[in-house]
Structures are given as C-alpha cells and as structure tokens.
Amino acid sequence: MVILQTLVKKFGIWVAYLAVLLLLPQLFDSILAISIYNQMAIAIVFALSYNMLLGQGGMLSFGHAVYFGMGGFLGVHTLLMIENESVYFSVMWVPFIGGLFGLLCALFIGSFSTRKAGTVFAMISLGIGELIAASSLIFVDFFGGEAGISGDRTFGPTFFGVDFAQNIQIYYLAAIWTFIATIFMYLFTQTPAGRMANAVRDNPIRAEFIGYSARRVRFISFCAAGLFAGVAGGLFALNYEFITEENLNAATSGRVLLMAYIGGLGYFIGPIIGAVLLTLMNTLLSTYTDLWLLYLGILFLLTVMFLPRGFAGFIMMHQVAWLRGRLTSLIKPYLITGLPALVFLLGVVTLIELIHTEDETLSIWGLSLTPASVPTWIVLIAITGAAFYGIRRSLPQLREAWHAANKPDGEGN
Amino acid sequence: MLDVLIFATLNGLVTGLLLFMLASGLTLIFSMMGVLNFAHASFYMLGAYFAYSLSLYFGFWTGLIFAPLIVGVLGALVERYGLRRVHQAGHVAELVFTFGLAFLIEEAVQFFWGRDTKSYQSPDVLNFALFTLFGQEFSAYRGFMIAISVGIFIGLYYVLTRSRVGIIIQAAITHPNTVANLGHNVPLIFMGVFGVGTALAGVAGVIAGPVLTTFPGMATVLGSIVFVIVVIGGLGSLAGAFIASLLIGLLQSFAIASDVGMEDLLDLFGISFPYDHALADLWGLTLPQVAPILPFLLLVLVLIFRPTGLMGKREE
Amino acid sequence: MTVPNITRMHETNMTSTRRFSLHTFLLVALFGLSGVAAAQDPIKIAFIDPLSGSFASIGNSGLKQVQFAAEYFYNSKGGVLGGRKLEIVPLDNKQSPTDTQIQFRRAVSEDIRIIFQGNSSAVANTLNATISRHNRRNPGQEVLQINYSAVDPILTEEECSFWHFRFDAHAIMKLNTLTDYIAMNPDIKKVYVIGQDYSFGHVVADNSVRLLKEKRPDIEIVGTEFHPIGQVKDFTPYVTKIVSSGADAVITGNYGADMVSLAKSIIDSGLNVPIYTFYAVYDGITATLGEGGKDRIFLVHNETSNPIPTEERKQFLRAFKAENPNFDVTQPRIINALQMVVAAIEKTKSTDPYDIALALEDMRFTNLSGEEMWMRGTDHQIFQSLHISMHTDEGIEFDADNSGYGLRTIFNVPAEETVVPTSCKMDRPRR
C-alpha cells in the first residue's frame, strides 16, 4: 500500500500528463481541434526548451527560434531525403534528427555566446538571430528563400502500417515525443548540471567559488535548450511538412519569450501553461477580432507588471494557503473583486472594439451596439468606471484576506 | 566615382546623425538605470505619428515642437508607472517589460492610426534643393536634418558638461548610490532622463518621418540597429554612441555604394568556383546585398572580441 | 443545417466567423435543425489573407471587396443556385505560411471547399503544396485554391496543380507588357533595376533584363540591385547609385513600405526619371506619393483604371464607395474571380470543387469592364488585357486613398497578345 502511494506520488503526475496528451483527441476530434493540439505539442516543447535558458539558466535570449528553425529545416530536408530514398528510416525519427541539428548549432554558437550572461548574452542572441534570419533569405539552396522548403511525410517505412498521412496520426506521434521531451527536460533540472544552472543564474560569483565554471554551466544549459528546440522544430516539420524563414526569425523568438513569460518562468509547468494559452489565443481569439495582437500585448505587459512569475506563479502563490487548509477563505474575497474585474475587462474590450469598428453595428457578447449612438458610449463608460471603482474598493479586503490566509499558524487572528 | 564618394558620405552622415539622436537617449537611459530600453525606437515612431497628426491641423513646425514633448511626457509616465514597478523584479524583467512595451506600442499605433502608410510631408519651406552636385540634388530638408541633429548634440553636450543637472546626471551614471546619499532625488532624475531620452527619440521621429516614410513598421526597421550602436559604442558611453552612429551610418552607405562582392575577394586570391557549386549563393554575395545586416555582424564580432564595446569601460 | 443567427455578411468579420463545430452541433442537437432544406445552405468561401499584423491593410481591403461583390451581385439578388447565399468566411493568416496552414485546416474542418487567397507568393506556394497533398490524401474532401494575386510564375509552371487557379497575370506576363511600353519610348537608353532580395524581386530583375535585350538591344542595363525586404531604413544611398549610373528609367517590383520609401527617395533626389512599378498604388501609397510622384510613377496591372470603360463598373465602384468610404476597389481581379467561380457553380449546378474546376477550365467570361477573359485549361492561368497606368491627378474620376490622385490608363495590350507558353504538366485527378 505504501509502495503504491509512493509510486502514485512520484509518477502519478506523469501518468496523468501522458493520459491527458493521449486522450485529448477523444474530447474534440474535429480537424481544427487536432490541428490546435498539434500546435500545442510543438509549442510546449519549444517553450520548455526556452525556459531552460531563461527560467533555469537566467539567459535572456532574443534568438531562440534559430535552433527551432534549424531543426525544422533539417527535418524537412530529412523528409526529402527519405522521399528520394537517399536514407531509409521512418519519418517518426525526424524530431530526433532535428534535435541533433539544433544541438549542433547550439554547440557552435554557444561556444562564444555563453561567455557572459545578462545584456551581453541577450545582444549576441539578437545579433545572431538577425544574421541567421537574413542569411536564410540569401542562401536559397538550403533555406528555399522566402517560400521555404516543403516535403512529404508519407514516404519511408511505415510504423505498423501507420503511414502518417493523417494529422491525427501525427498528433499521437507528437504527443509521444512531447511526453519524452518533457520527461528529459524535467530530468535535466534534477541533474547536477541543471541544479548548477540555477545557482549560476542566481549568483555566478558564488557558483564559481564552489568550483564550477559559470561559463561551462551556461554552455551546457544552452546546448540542451538548443537540442530540445530542434526537437520542436522537427515536430514542426512533420506536422506542417514545410518550413520557411519566418520560423527562425525574430518574431518567432519573441513569441516563445511571450509564452514562457506569461506561463511563468522558473516553474517547470509554467511554459506549458503559456504554450497552451498562446496557441489558443493565436488560433481562436484571432478569429473573433483582428485586434488580438493588441490584447496579447496588453496581457503580456500586465503579466510582467503584476504577475512577474506568470500564471504558474499565480497558482503557486496559493500553495501556502492550501497547505494550511485556508484556501476556502479566499473564495469569497476573490469573487467580490473578481466580478467587478470581469465587468471592467469586458467593458474595456467592448470600448476598444467599439472605437475600432467601421461598421454601423457591432455585435459583441450577444449584444448589438451602435458606435454612432452617444448613450451607448455613456452607459458603457459608466459601467466600466463603476467596475473600476468596485475593484478599488474591494481590493483592500482581498489583500487582508490574503494575508490572513498566509499567516503562519499560532499568530492568532 | 567622386560623386558617389561625396554623396555616400553625406548620406552616411544623415543616417548616422539620425541614429545618434536615438542612440544618445538610449545610452543615457542605460547608463543611469541599467535598462536597455527595447521600446526606444517605438517612441521614435510615436514622435513621427504625433507630428503627422499635429501637422494635419497646425503644420509641420508645431509638430516639431509639440510631438517630442508629448512623447517625452509619455516616456516619463512609462517610467513612473511601469518600469519603476518592474524594477524590483530585476534587469531581465525590465528588459522583458520594454520588449512587451515595444510590441504594444506597435499594435496601439495600428489601432489609432491604421495600418497603411501615412502621408506625412516635409514643410514646403524646405522643399528645394540645397545644392546640386554631379546632377544629384541634396534637398534642403536633409540639410535641416543634419542641422537639427548637430544642434541637439551640441545642446546635449553643453547640458551634460556645463549645467548643474548635467553634473548630477554624470555623477549618477557612475555613482548612483553616492548621488542618492547626497540628497538628490534619484528616482526623479531617472524619470527626467527617461522622459528626455524618449523625447529625443521623438525628435528623431518627427524629422525622419517625412523622409523615411511613416508606417507601423518604422520602429522595427530601426529598433535593433539602435541597440547595435549602443552596444558597439560601449554601453553607457555617449561619445562611443556618437562614433558608432557615424560608423554604422557610413558603413551602410558605403557598402551600398560599393560594387564589390565575394567573387572579387576570391579573385584576389586567385580562387574561383563554378556557378553550380553547392555554395554558389555564398560566392555570389555582393556587399550592397548584405549592407543592412552588416551592423549585426559587427555587433556579434564586437561582443565576442571586446564585450565592453569601443569606448565602454563598464562590464555589466 | 442552418444556424439561425448567422449574421449578415457586411457586418463585422467578428460575428461572421463565430462558428465552431461544437456550437453548430449544440444548436442542431437542441433545435433539430438538421432537417432544414439543403437548398438554403449558404455556399461558403474562405478568404485566407492577412487581417491582422503589418500586412493587414491589404487583406482587409481585399476582404471588403469580395464581401461587397458577393452581396452586390448575388446575395441581394436572391443568391446562387436558386436561393443559396454566398458566405465569405474571413480567416486571418497574418501573411504567414504557418498560419495559412492552420487556417486551411480550420476551413476544412468547417467543410469549406473554396479558398480565396492572394497575398504573397510564399504563402500561395505553400498553400498550393498543402492543398495538393490534402486532396490526394482525402479523396471526396477536395479543396479549390482561387489565387487572385500571387504572381510567382512557378504556380502555373513547374508547380501547377489541377486545384489551383490564378486570376492575376503572372510576373513575366506583366513584365512583357511593361517592357513593350518601355521599348516604345526612344528616350530611354539606360535602365536601372532595383528590387527586394527574394524570388519575385529576382524574377522581375532577370526577366526585365532578358526582355529588354530582346526588344531593345540598344538599351543598356546600368545596374541591378537587390536589397533585403523591409530592412532598409533609407533608400537614398541606393538612389545615389542610380543617379551616378546615369539611368533614365527605373524598374522595381517593390511593394509596401519599401515601394514608398524608394519612390520618395528618388523624388527627393531630384532625379526626374520614370519609375515602372507593380504595386505603387492604394493603401496609403498613392496619398503619400501625391504631387511628387505625378506623371512619373507607372504601374502595370490587369484592369483599366480611369477612364472606366463601362457604366456597369462605374456603378459598382460608386456603390462600393458609398458603403466603404475609406476603401477603394484595389483589386478588380478578386471580383472577376468571384464572378467566374459563381458562373462555374451555376453552369454545373454543383459546388463540388472537381466540377467547378472542370467548368473553370477554358471558360471565357466578360468582366465588368467589358473585356473578355480566358482561363487557360492547360495551366489554369487567366488571360485578359493588360494595361499601363500613370499616377496623376488629371482625368481621375475614381481616385485612390481619397487623395485626388489615382491611376490613368495610358497603354493597353489586348488579351490575345499577353498569352505566353507554359511548361505546366498537370497531374489531373480522375473520377
């Protein structure tokens, strides 16, 4: 019984993770849903690899897409080689090849870029990112110019009759790869190298004192991050069967930073949350409004300002209260502040959409609003303003309840 | 050949001085606060857009005066209510904050002004050729750009070296804690410097908008180059920024003007490659083709071999 | 089945896309709507183009045009196939090949079988490959690609596909017309070609050099220059080179901000030579060039501008402007494409992409301007008369960007003279 409990405690979360990954297609199985799952799987691996740099190693990179893209480009080239039979193995190994190439690139670039952390590292990563993105348009043979290169994943030996023609088959493959990559990335955090990465991040000088070369530790993290970014790139190549310059340029590098940050740096699960959230925003929110990038920008800035540890950090903030069994005492104050906050949010979004629309009527939240009518504006502004006032009024109570819930036992009330 | 040489120098000068207007603010902000402001070029873009809107109603000159003021106030507000809050979370958080701000400003500009190119025109007074050389005109407006940039450089130099405020700022750059201990309000100085720095970027936007076109991508085009300058010049060094600005401006302009390529270089060594060679793209490269990415190459090289930059003393 | 609250098409694209399979499923389950007559189903057409991000102005303007055309020609007149409405479903691809693929899967997911797409040849190329693969792997669920604007010749040459139709003249056809026009001008002795460093820029450069050599051996190409897309801050150094080369004409395939900046720098330098372009109009460009570009910016395109030849098209333009005062009909070819696709649907009484494709092949159609167009069956390339127009404010009845300036057509090449041979060897699916 005790053994079982330990097992559940140790591996339960992983079994649950695998189960969720594998059961998702049972929940929604439309082509759209599968396509979103595939994006999520790729994004999760990519964001986790970014977290190895920034969250665990303290290296802010503006060029992480280079390794993702390089893995992807070699992935597509591998598909092409399988197609014209210069190599013979199943396409399911493409992410592995992508990972190896990502590692190779990281070995080379990391050899000089990891000497310093901080701003110097950030600037080198920016410069290298720009250089590689620019070269990708110049070296047409390997990168295919702005149209990129494309392949076909249905060649080569099948895997027990599975030819990977359908996206759902690719999803199961991607889910397994994501699971394996996640496990290895987690295990990395448990190795001495992973632990030392944290130490170097927090205080490189002290780390050097106990005998570790900060540069070497950064280099190892950097290479591992490059490897897994390459795996994500290989998954991309399998899923989309093409890759273009945009997959290694600054925009992609920026997006992975957003994912990791919004999800929560420093927590292993953070980037997973961020990847899921941003993928959903990218695919679903963008159909509702062409202003979604504006909302994304606002969300990001608010996260940096008010939730510096991201969504994962926000969840983990409640650990103490939960352990003390006081989480329930927070429900009421949360509702009292959350309700006006929700109204405020909806009000602001409605106002933004109302300013933006060029049509005579705006249909939003099931309402039909007329931008030309003054009363509409007055009512909206009044509601939004009232909600803001409501937040301001209820915030001190929430803060108090929060402190009460986190107070150590025995201090009395 | 002489005409190309002269005009390449002039063009390089215009670009270089314009870049310096951005780089000076950025490097001031960095020296004081240790923040590499990713959104700096976004304030440049805001300057151009505000000036465009003002010029529609009040003409170009009003825009020239008021747009930088608006941008400066916005900058100060960002410092007061954004950066200062994030400051507690460390430098990475600050860098990420300004990165997000750059992203948001670009979207906000598209929200308020739309996505298409704006017809922001230079004033009629300056619509003549300052001089014509070898059949090519040098417009008065470009002369005006040079004049403004030089004026600002001199003004900045004067303020920093001669005025009391300048001396406090200089002191705060090297010894922020001592300055605070002497009773100066360092947060206020920070806010002021951030405001002035962004206002300088605003001025650059106002005068560059009519020539370099006013469109939502204008910050992205310039943004990373400005960092490159600040880093190459040496983080925190105003003189370094000045030299690096001119260097980058002239480098790009001469690279474009030149007609040499990889082939010429290889010819020097007597090497030649068949055109169907696997690396044919590499052998066919020309200098003008890669001119816009040269600064990044320079950046990487400088950071590898001299991480402090040309004139920088401080390692981070 | 029909969802009862489908909003009118000219409402915001927010509402018209708010449809998920789950949503539909719930409505069907709750109200049992599945029995509603199939004749009333809308015919859905996906419009995959940038609707957010830096290229959004082009995509949004195209969307307005196709939505308006659907309303104007069909929905307000009782629909297609005896009462079925056309529904344009906007899907935002942010001009990214990756997002295009995501939106393509969404379209398939919602059982949309016709896809309109135009912006960027890179996107069109990847979409073409994606659709070919999809149609091969999923027989019975084929999708049709209606390319209204991507001009890379490869799409109707090596990479031609049975499922792809192009409604714009490709780059070489346009260059044929452009070089014809340049060759007529005896004053032009030296030409400078400058372009963005990517495939279209290279196609323009290589072919203008080749064609000018054929048509006017005495013309000297004094320079070909490539610059990275969207990276150039200031074009003046390039213009310095153009000036010192002694060029008396400039050809460029630049678009967007690179086009405006280049033209402005040339104007500012006092270099008074004609600039021959592909995309120097609309979306703020005309307004920005204004007076400085008058009578010297030329454009090759495939539908006359001022004077508008037919009253029918004038009415259409006026009606569009009345509803969308801040937009112009920038791409008449979108409307041509829609009209021809609907003609194919009406002819075959089917919305099956295979039937539509067969009907489109070798279709001849008279467009709003009264010109006959021909969709060649061998490579699915449209042929119609091509024109050169000039940026000016004289004789402009329909201006661009509400600026008073616009395009006046000054040179026409009839459709039959624009026909070029093709190397296309099409894989034709059999049914």
Side-chain angles (χ1 to χ4, degrees), chain A residues 261-281:
Chain A
Y261 211 95
I262 290 179
L265 293 170
Y267 297 98
F268 188 78
I269 197 174
I272 300 181
I273 299 176
V276 170
L277 201 70
L278 248 76
T279 309
L280 288 178
M281 275 185 95

Side-chain angles (χ1 to χ4, degrees), chain A residues 105-116:
Chain A
C105 295
L107 275 171
F108 172 63
I109 295 169
S111 64
F112 56 83
S113 74
T114 52
R115 205 158 50 179
K116 291 265 172 331

Side-chain angles (χ1 to χ4, degrees), chain A residues 249-307:
Chain A
N249 69 14
T252 307
S253 295
R255 197 152 49 228
V256 71
L257 167 65
L258 255 62
M259 278 181 197
Y261 211 95
I262 290 179
L265 293 170
Y267 297 98
F268 188 78
I269 197 174
I272 300 181
I273 299 176
V276 170
L277 201 70
L278 248 76
T279 309
L280 288 178
M281 275 185 95
N282 187 17
T283 42
L284 298 184
L285 194 61
S286 68
T287 26
Y288 284 96
T289 169
D290 56 344
L291 292 176
W292 73 281
L293 281 168
L294 181 70
Y295 297 128
L296 180 62
I298 295 173
L299 172 76
F300 180 57
L301 223 54
L302 288 180
T303 312
V304 177
M305 284 173 67
F306 298 103
L307 295 176

Side-chain angles (χ1 to χ4, degrees), chain A residues 220-276:
Chain A
I220 292 172
S221 294
F222 187 82
C223 290
L227 168 75
F228 287 106
V231 170
L235 284 175
F236 183 96
L238 269 186
N239 181 33
Y240 294 102
E241 301 174 272
F242 70 80
I243 188 151
T244 67
E245 173 269 343
E246 64 158 353
N247 300 112
L248 48 68
N249 69 14
T252 307
S253 295
R255 197 152 49 228
V256 71
L257 167 65
L258 255 62
M259 278 181 197
Y261 211 95
I262 290 179
L265 293 170
Y267 297 98
F268 188 78
I269 197 174
I272 300 181
I273 299 176
V276 170

Side-chain angles (χ1 to χ4, degrees), chain A residues 116-134:
Chain A
K116 291 265 172 331
T119 311
V120 174
F121 176 84
M123 287 296 110
I124 295 189
S125 71
L126 178 84
I128 290 187
E130 294 280 348
L131 276 181
I132 303 242

Side-chain angles (χ1 to χ4, degrees), chain B residues 135 137, chain C residues 243 247-249 266-267 269-275 292 294-296:
Chain B
E137 289 175 9
Chain C
V243 173
D248 39 30
I266 294 180
I267 294 165
S269 75
L271 176 64
N272 195 8
V273 298
I275 308 168
K294 187 179 167 184
D295 296 348
R296 54 193 288 196

Side-chain angles (χ1 to χ4, degrees), chain C residues 302-351:
Chain C
N302 57 3
E303 194 117 344
T304 54
S305 284
N306 301 288
I308 300 292
T310 60
E311 195 52 43
E312 209 183 344
R313 189 162 154 223
K314 282 184 184 177
Q315 269 171 13
F316 176 81
L317 293 175
R318 286 194 197 105
F320 180 85
K321 202 73 187 171
E323 190 156 314
N324 305 289
N326 295 323
F327 288 87
D328 296 304
V329 178
T330 59
Q331 305 182 71
R333 47 190 184 266
I334 304 186
I335 291 120
N336 296 340
L338 186 72
Q339 286 185 307
M340 285 181 72
V341 168
V342 171
I345 292 176
E346 291 280 16
K347 187 179 158 202
T348 56
K349 302 263 177 293
S350 157
T351 55

